[in-house]
Amino acid sequence: MFSAKMPDGFLWGGAVAAHQLEGAWNEDGKGMSIADVMTVGSATQPREITDGVIPGKNYPNHSAIDFYHHYQEDIKLMAEMGFKAFRTSIAWTRIFPNGDDEKPNEAGLKFYDDLFDTCHHYGIEPVITLSHFEIPFHLVKKYNGFTNRKLIDYFVRFATVCFKRYRNKVKYWMTFNEIDNQSAYNEDFLMATNSGIILDGMSDKEKEAAMYQAAHYELVASALAVKIGHKINPDFQIGCMINYSPVRPLTPSSDDMLLADKFEQRRDWFSDVHVFGEYPQEVEAYIERKGYRPDISDEDRIVLKEGTVDYVAFSYYQTTTVSAQNVKPDKLNDLAQAIAVNPTLVRSDWGWEIDPTGLRIALNHLTDRYHKPLFIVENGLGAYDKVEKDGSIHDDYRIDYLRKHISEMEKAVAMDGVDLMGYLPWGPIDLVSAGTGQMDKRYGFIYVDKNDAGQGTLKRSRKDSFYWYKKVIKTNGLDLN
Ligand code: P53
């Protein structure tokens, strides 16, 4: 299999998000976030989003893997693998419990001081997402999330406090996690987690209009944050973060091809605005034609231009294949309707298509489009693990997945000339799945003894992939065996 050494300073490591591992959901002044009102689901059963916390329901993020009290032990294990970087998020509700508070919560700020100090103690660079699916629930209830312009101020206040407090501890930042996911505006989970919008009782048209409005305010909030961040510390590297999934037609027909292009336009515009500071023609035309998003001011357009990002970070899990069988290119309203099963690929136990070459396609496409450094900040396989009698975990399927993806990534860097900052696979330690709320959908190199029902000792142990990834990092990507 192809392998190549990565450039000096390449950031090998892993990525998590606060709400999926910290637990301690109401400790030290933390407020309730959208993640705290989502129940456990499964591969087939979606998570329920409840109106507040209802006694007797299983809310897995409340305790998660209790990283809040185990972070020293956990960061030490990541250091043992040789991590150069660790991506996590700052839980907005630890800093501003309600979101619209005047003053930040000192105990929350202190926790991240200690966490970042621990990372630096081991020579690990923190890579920080500001908003990763954990918007304060109060902002959801009182303002309807990002459909309200006031949210721009609240986000910018939160970002500014973090930039100032951690100006000498954090260099790499991202504003909104997977901001483009909400292009699937019909999905309760994505709209609630990205934008704090509860879709109950809304028509399809209202949902789509709400998405374009909210996304616009998020993009303005992001641009303002980038601009302020660069003033606070000119050395900051502030990126956007998208879920990138290359789109291809199911057949060579022009209808399928055009549909693939249209599908991609509906997702790429988020990163287009982040990088170029202006809306692409197609989206302007679309929202005009549909009569969506009335509130976009001339001042907003200036802000977007002034706050463009330094790099493009993305998650890569799978490619997307579309077919004009059920939806015509010019009638593309609901993206989900366009998606077809790719007959050339196998799927994970959760139905996610596995396509290592797609990662090389993604790296090439994003380089051609944006001419910016790229950063892979998520990639990985969610799988069931089996603990042997002696406690060992032989996760060769995970090693196989990662090896193939890393090989494709290395081709993109060594052969295609892609400027790549680092590789941070998802969930280096088992954590709560965002999509399903499960513990048993595992991504980790480090196993955590806890199951979907919430039972377990929380004991950490090393899987086979732990030793394998350690060797990959040690050889700077050369030894993938
Ligand atoms: P889980 C949807 C589509 C692509 C990525 O996902 C997604 C989602 C949300 O499920 O989420 C990202 O845990 C996200 C992480 C998440 C990870 O992918 O559903 O940034 O928070 O955990 C994996 O298996």
Side-chain angles (χ1 to χ4, degrees):
M1 190 179 294
F2 180 90
S3 75
K5 257 192 179 200
M6 290 296 92
D8 287 345
F10 189 79
L11 295 171
W12 293 99
V16 301
H19 67 108
Q20 288 173 259
L21 86 171
E22 285 178 2
W25 74 289
N26 58 3
E27 280 184 45
D28 297 334
K30 182 183 170 296
M32 194 190 291
S33 82
I34 188 74
D36 294 319
V37 298
M38 300 199 330
T39 65
V40 71
S42 72
T44 49
Q45 172 80 31
R47 305 182 73 171
E48 192 190 342
I49 303 166
T50 56
D51 189 13
V53 170
I54 297 173
K57 292 213 182 246
N58 179 354
Y59 297 102
N61 301 69
H62 285 190
S63 54
I65 61 162
D66 197 28
F67 178 79
Y68 194 75
H69 298 108
H70 288 73
Y71 69 91
Q72 284 170 328
E73 170 195 345
D74 294 342
I75 298 295
K76 192 171 172 210
L77 281 164
M78 293 181 210
E80 190 184 320
M81 276 186 278
F83 275 29
K84 315 281 182 231
F86 175 62
R87 174 186 177 218
T88 189
S89 58
I90 296 176
W92 190 341
T93 49
R94 287 202 192 284
I95 313 303
F96 289 98
N98 298 299
D100 57 0
D101 320 71
E102 287 296 323
K103 294 244 155 6
N105 170 33
E106 175 56 30
L109 288 165
K110 172 80 168 57
F111 170 70
Y112 293 103
D113 265 323
D114 295 345
L115 173 60
F116 301 154
D117 288 346
T118 305
C119 290
H120 286 301
H121 172 77
Y122 292 107
I124 296 174
E125 195 71 52
V127 175
I128 300 304
T129 321
L130 286 164
S131 179
H132 190 134
F133 301 170
E134 51 218 346
I135 183 170
F137 192 59
H138 174 73
L139 297 184
V140 175
K141 291 298 284 181
K142 181 158 179 205
Y143 302 93
N144 221 348
F146 268 94
T147 60
N148 190 319
R149 187 178 268 279
K150 285 206 176 96
L151 270 276
I152 297 177
D153 292 342
Y154 301 140
F155 176 81
V156 169
R157 189 186 295 173
F158 165 56
T160 306
V161 163
C162 294
F163 288 153
K164 283 191 177 152
R165 177 79 171 215
Y166 310 119
R167 65 189 293 271
N168 297 317
K169 294 187 185 184
V170 176
K171 177 177 176 190
Y172 300 100
W173 299 89
M174 283 163 278
T175 51
F176 290 90
N177 184 63
E178 291 188 340
I179 189 167
D180 58 327
N181 271 0
Q182 56 191 314
S183 54
Y185 58 84
N186 260 324
E187 290 192 32
D188 294 340
F189 169 81
L190 297 175
M191 293 306 288
T193 52
N194 275 75
S195 298
I197 300 172
I198 304 295
L199 296 177
D200 281 354
M202 288 165 82
S203 70
D204 281 357
K205 245 187 119 79
E206 285 166 345
K207 289 177 189 172
E208 194 177 16
M211 184 276 283
Y212 278 106
Q213 184 66 74
H216 174 69
Y217 290 150
E218 282 158 35
L219 289 163
V220 172
S222 173
L224 278 168
V226 171
K227 201 176 142 186
I228 292 166
H230 283 150
K231 278 212 188 95
I232 291 170
N233 184 347
D235 290 335
F236 277 174
Q237 292 288 304
I238 313 176
C240 60
M241 196 296 190
I242 53 170
N243 168 238
Y244 192 66
S245 174
V247 184
R248 76 273 304 267
L250 181 64
T251 76
S253 79
S254 284
D255 262 10
D256 278 3
M257 188 62 218
L258 184 64
L259 181 65
D261 285 351
K262 290 277 153 207
F263 192 105
E264 212 155 56
Q265 284 172 329
R266 294 296 156 72
R267 289 188 65 93
D268 282 359
W269 72 273
F270 296 86
S271 37
D272 286 355
V273 178
H274 276 302
V275 175
F276 303 130
E278 57 188 47
Y279 277 72
Q281 283 310 119
E282 199 273 346
V283 170
E284 294 276 14
Y286 183 74
I287 55 182
E288 179 70 31
R289 182 155 57 85
K290 291 274 186 169
Y292 293 154
R293 208 201 54 207
D295 184 27
I296 169 170
S297 69
D298 292 344
E299 207 186 354
D300 290 348
R301 292 192 187 268
I302 294 168
V303 167
L304 293 178
K305 266 283 180 210
E306 288 174 344
T308 56
V309 295
D310 300 313
Y311 64 93
V312 174
F314 68 103
S315 62
Y316 173 75
Y317 291 95
Q318 52 186 336
T319 44
T320 300
T321 302
V322 296
S323 161
Q325 194 89 43
N326 297 325
V327 48
K328 297 289 166 238
D330 290 328
K331 293 250 158 39
L332 179 61
N333 289 327
D334 184 350
L335 297 197
Q337 284 175 355
I339 295 175
V341 172
N342 185 327
T344 69
L345 300 174
V346 292
R347 294 167 162 249
S348 78
D349 288 330
W350 280 262
W352 293 27
E353 285 174 344
I354 299 173
D355 188 358
T357 313
L359 178 56
R360 184 173 172 194
I361 294 171
L363 288 161
N364 276 276
H365 174 96
L366 291 171
T367 297
D368 288 348
R369 195 173 178 98
Y370 296 127
H371 299 220
K372 290 272 177 199
L374 303 180
F375 203 166
I376 302 170
V377 297
E378 285 183 37
N379 172 231
L381 177 71
Y384 294 105
D385 288 330
K386 180 164 171 265
V387 185
E388 305 295 338
K389 286 218 172 63
D390 65 358
S392 58
I393 295 144
H394 305 306
D395 56 341
D396 44 305
Y397 37 88
R398 182 170 292 109
I399 295 172
D400 182 60
Y401 175 103
L402 292 169
R403 175 189 283 140
K404 287 179 179 151
H405 282 77
I406 292 175
S407 175
E408 292 302 320
M409 166 185 97
E410 293 182 346
K411 283 182 200 164
V413 174
M415 293 161 64
D416 306 331
V418 165
D419 180 3
L420 185 63
M421 296 161 68
Y423 179 70
L424 308 178
W426 180 251
I429 182 164
D430 292 344
L431 37 60
V432 175
S433 157
T436 71
Q438 291 176 280
M439 270 306 301
D440 285 327
K441 186 182 186 188
R442 297 173 188 275
Y443 289 85
F445 306 114
I446 301 163
Y447 186 87
V448 178
D449 179 28
K450 189 172 181 187
N451 63 19
D452 288 353
Q455 303 148 330
T457 61
L458 291 180
K459 184 175 171 296
R460 276 71 167 149
S461 52
R462 298 166 185 79
K463 305 182 194 177
D464 286 357
S465 57
F466 182 99
Y467 303 102
W468 173 82
Y469 193 46
K470 180 176 177 177
K471 187 178 61 182
V472 173
I473 297 178
K474 190 151 189 241
T475 61
N476 199 9
L478 197 58
D479 187 352
L480 302 182
N481 291 316

